[in-house]
């Protein structure tokens, strides 16, 4: 049968279940209009407002993938539902205001990638006071109703392990520097822990380590510039937590005359990152398939908005969660990962200056 028919059947079944649930607990407070036990669905499921609050726009993924995939998945799962979208531009206060605005506009569920995971506790409290469930999207928030992300410790392990493998292959002894993510982002701590689990016992000492405020590529670049003269000759590897910070680090190394460049890690499989793999400026990135993540969040947002339970596979600190699998990408498997998945097409990657490297990597 068509997916449309299946969805309709699913919705009818879910609606039936909601009625049963309501009948079973007859004292449910329908005046609050949005309790997780079914009030909102009974009040006319199918036209709920779903708020999506993303943290920043310097990292390409949010506007290019998370938002459009999420909006499309909400539309196909609930034709009458609408998405209230906002981006906080790395400002935690702005995100708090955006969350309050979404609640005022009648959002039945908040899907948040928190700028500041700890500060987001007050967003959860405001939402809970209105019986509005919260989905922690990509970044963990204690007390959320559901969390969907990747195995972020494993992201760090992949970064650390690939870096060590390449440094060993290069055969040069020396030191590494670490450019981590934002200290306000719980993911950044997990990436670092995962990377450290490999780097600490690798025999490559960590000369210096930096937590990049706001994940800002510019700040990563400035910090790397401040290190270049000190570490220059000893530097055999750079751990950069994502492609944005990797881009900053690489610009600083080039500007400081470091040649050849040491291997630099990344994350997100941004187009610029993939192209740097081809040019040899960046050694690896981590591909996180955002489509299934956004679709999972949308499916569970619709469920929660309609008073149903989210479908989770694991528990993280009492929050029902789903953790997807990250994949390490080097020049050698671009074709089998991001291209195969349709994340980037060969045409998008293999523009003019990358044509020769693309042929060499078997992409064209
Ligand atoms: C995300 C990364 C992203 C970073 C900067 C992290 O929480 O998991 O994909 O690069 O934030 O926005």
């Amino acid at each position: 049968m068509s997916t449309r028919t299946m969805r309709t059947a699913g919705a009818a079944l879910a609606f039936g279940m909601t009625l049963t649930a309501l009948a079973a607990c007859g004292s449910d407070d329908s005046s609050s209009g949005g309790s997780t036990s079914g009030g909102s669905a009974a009040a006319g499921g199918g036209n709920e407002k779903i708020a999506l609050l993303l943290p920043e726009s310097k990292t390409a993924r949010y506007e290019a993938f998370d938002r459009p995939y999420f909006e499309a998945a909400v539309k196909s799962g609930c034709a009458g539902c609408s998405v209230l979208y906002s981006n906080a531009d790395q400002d935690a206060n702005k995100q708090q205001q955006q969350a309050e605005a979404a609640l005022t506009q009648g959002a039945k569920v908040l899907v948040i990638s928190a700028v500041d995971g700890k500060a987001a506790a007050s967003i959860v409290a405001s939402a809970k006071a209105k019986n509005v469930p919260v989905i922690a999207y990509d970044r963990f928030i204690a007390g959320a109703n559901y969390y969907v992300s990747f195995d972020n410790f494993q992201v760090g392990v992949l970064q650390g392990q690939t870096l060590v493998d390449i440094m060993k292959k290069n055969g040069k002894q020396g030191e590494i520097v670490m450019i981590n993510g934002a200290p306000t982002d719980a993911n950044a701590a997990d990436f670092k822990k995962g990377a450290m689990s490999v780097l600490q016992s690798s025999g490559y000492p960590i000369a210096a380590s930096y937590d990049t405020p706001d994940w800002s590529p510019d700040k990563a670049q400035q910090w790397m510039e401040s290190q270049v003269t000190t570490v220059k000759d000893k530097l055999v590897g750079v751990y950069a937590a994502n492609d944005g910070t990797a881009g900053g680090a690489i610009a600083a190394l080039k500007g400081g005359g470091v040649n050849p460049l040491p291997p630099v890690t990344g994350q997100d499989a941004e187009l610029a990152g993939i192209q740097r793999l081809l040019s040899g400026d960046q050694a690896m990135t981590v591909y996180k398939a955002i489509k299934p993540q956004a679709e999972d969040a949308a499916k569970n947002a619709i469920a929660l908005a309609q008073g149903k339970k989210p479908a989770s596979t694991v528990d993280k600190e009492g929050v029902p969660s789903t953790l997807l699998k990250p994949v390490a990408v080097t020049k050698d498997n671009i074709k089998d990962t991001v291209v195969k998945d349709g994340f980037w097409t060969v045409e998008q990657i293999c523009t003019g200056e990358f044509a020769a490297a693309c042929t060499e990597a078997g992409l064209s």
Side-chain angles (χ1 to χ4, degrees):
M1 272 290 112
S2 73
T3 41
R4 181 169 209 140
T5 318
M6 283 169 63
R7 253 181 237 121
T8 314
L13 177 67
F15 187 64
M17 281 166 57
T18 307
L19 288 180
T20 316
L22 265 179
C25 51
S27 62
D28 189 62
D29 178 14
S30 54
S31 64
S32 64
S35 81
T36 49
S37 57
S40 63
N47 59 358
E48 287 79 11
K49 289 179 183 161
I50 294 173
L52 176 66
L53 298 114
L54 295 182
E56 54 132 327
S57 41
K58 282 191 182 163
T59 301
R61 59 171 286 180
Y62 301 111
E63 297 295 334
F65 294 112
D66 295 273
R67 178 188 181 179
Y69 282 144
F70 183 85
E71 289 179 338
V74 166
K75 229 185 179 53
S76 82
C78 174
C81 289
S82 53
V83 176
L84 306 173
Y85 175 71
S86 26
N87 188 309
D89 294 318
Q90 279 295 6
D91 181 338
N93 291 328
K94 190 168 166 182
Q95 190 165 58
Q96 171 89 40
Q97 286 157 16
Q98 290 173 336
E100 300 292 350
L103 290 170
T104 308
Q105 286 170 60
K108 288 285 178 251
V109 57
L110 304 185
V111 179
I112 313 176
S113 184
V115 172
D116 183 324
K118 294 215 169 86
S122 64
I123 296 180
V124 173
S126 302
K128 284 219 161 126
K130 294 196 158 160
N131 283 323
V132 172
V134 173
I135 292 183
Y137 182 70
D138 198 67
R139 300 177 175 182
F140 186 74
I141 310 172
N145 300 71
Y146 179 66
Y147 170 57
V148 57
S149 189
F150 287 80
D151 180 339
N152 293 309
F153 180 86
Q154 181 61 16
V155 169
V157 170
L158 294 175
Q159 294 171 319
Q161 193 57 57
T162 312
L163 182 61
V164 169
D165 291 346
I166 296 170
M167 291 189 298
K168 285 202 171 135
K169 211 165 111 207
N170 289 347
K172 263 196 277 170
Q173 254 322 310
E175 298 178 351
I176 55 182
V177 297
M178 288 187 87
I179 303 178
N180 305 295
T184 48
D185 176 2
N187 284 352
D190 285 343
F191 302 147
K192 195 199 297 193
K193 264 191 238 151
M196 286 301 281
S197 75
V198 179
L199 297 175
Q200 231 160 10
S201 54
S202 68
Y204 296 96
I206 297 160
S209 179
Y210 176 65
D211 291 340
T212 313
D214 299 338
W215 284 96
S216 158
D218 297 344
K219 288 178 187 154
Q221 179 168 349
Q222 281 158 21
W223 182 79
M224 191 69 243
E225 278 162 3
S226 75
Q227 298 297 307
V228 167
T229 42
T230 334
V231 291
K232 199 171 179 173
D233 298 329
K234 300 176 280 183
L235 193 64
V236 291
V238 175
Y239 167 86
N242 73 350
D243 289 344
T245 50
I250 290 163
L253 293 168
K254 284 188 169 175
V258 177
N259 187 15
L261 287 175
V264 178
T265 65
Q267 171 182 187
D268 287 336
E270 288 193 356
L271 186 57
I274 296 290
Q275 290 176 329
R276 284 193 297 263
L277 299 186
L278 288 164
S279 66
D281 286 351
Q282 187 174 323
M284 68 87 68
T285 185
V286 177
Y287 172 50
K288 302 190 297 187
I290 295 170
K291 193 163 186 256
Q293 181 183 23
E295 287 175 349
D296 178 283
K299 182 186 81 189
N300 284 301
I302 296 167
L304 280 165
Q306 297 181 349
K308 287 170 251 163
K309 280 208 170 115
S312 61
T313 51
V314 286
D315 174 288
K316 183 176 158 75
E317 296 168 37
V319 179
S321 305
T322 298
L323 297 180
L324 305 167
K325 195 169 167 255
V327 178
V329 183
T330 63
K331 201 198 301 215
D332 300 330
N333 65 346
I334 295 174
K335 194 176 174 180
D336 296 334
T337 54
V338 289
V339 171
K340 191 172 162 203
D341 240 16
F343 196 68
W344 298 115
T345 63
V346 168
E347 290 68 36
Q348 285 170 315
I349 299 169
C350 298
T351 52
E353 60 180 300
F354 303 101
C358 274
T359 310
E360 211 176 296
L363 284 174
S364 54

